């Protein structure tokens, strides 16, 4: 389950504040999905020319976008 939480951030020259941050599970899923797309693009001849033409790249991008919404 993806959740967000509030964490206290100290101010550098004044009062601190609360900042909304993603939980570790959300961060891990997002980074894993991004890495999968990045790794694919490095070894794909089609992506070297146009990643919009590669079905795998389009699917990986969709999976990444799903983790960021």
């Amino acid at each position: 389950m993806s959740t967000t939480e509030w964490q206290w951030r100290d101010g550098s020259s004044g009062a601190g504040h609360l900042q909304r941050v993603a939980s570790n599970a959300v961060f891990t899923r997002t980074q894993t999905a991004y890495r999968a797309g990045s790794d694919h693009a490095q070894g794909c001849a089609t992506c070297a020319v146009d990643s919009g033409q590669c079905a795998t790249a389009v699917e990986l991008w969709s999976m990444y976008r799903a983790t960021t919404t």
Side-chain angles (χ1 to χ4, degrees):
M1 181 173 179
S2 50
T3 60
T4 56
E5 58 188 37
W6 292 92
Q7 290 183 353
W8 181 258
R9 301 291 186 207
D10 289 327
S12 60
S13 62
H17 64 277
L18 287 172
Q19 179 177 355
R20 191 172 182 191
V21 295
S23 68
N24 288 340
V26 173
F27 177 77
T28 301
R29 274 194 302 275
T30 301
Q31 290 301 310
T32 301
Y34 184 83
R35 173 58 86 173
S38 177
D39 287 348
H40 167 77
Q42 289 180 357
C44 177
T46 303
C47 287
V49 177
D50 182 6
S51 62
Q53 299 298 315
C54 177
T56 302
V58 170
E59 183 179 343
L60 289 170
W61 179 250
S62 295
M63 289 171 31
Y64 168 71
R65 293 291 299 155
T67 67
T68 61
T69 57

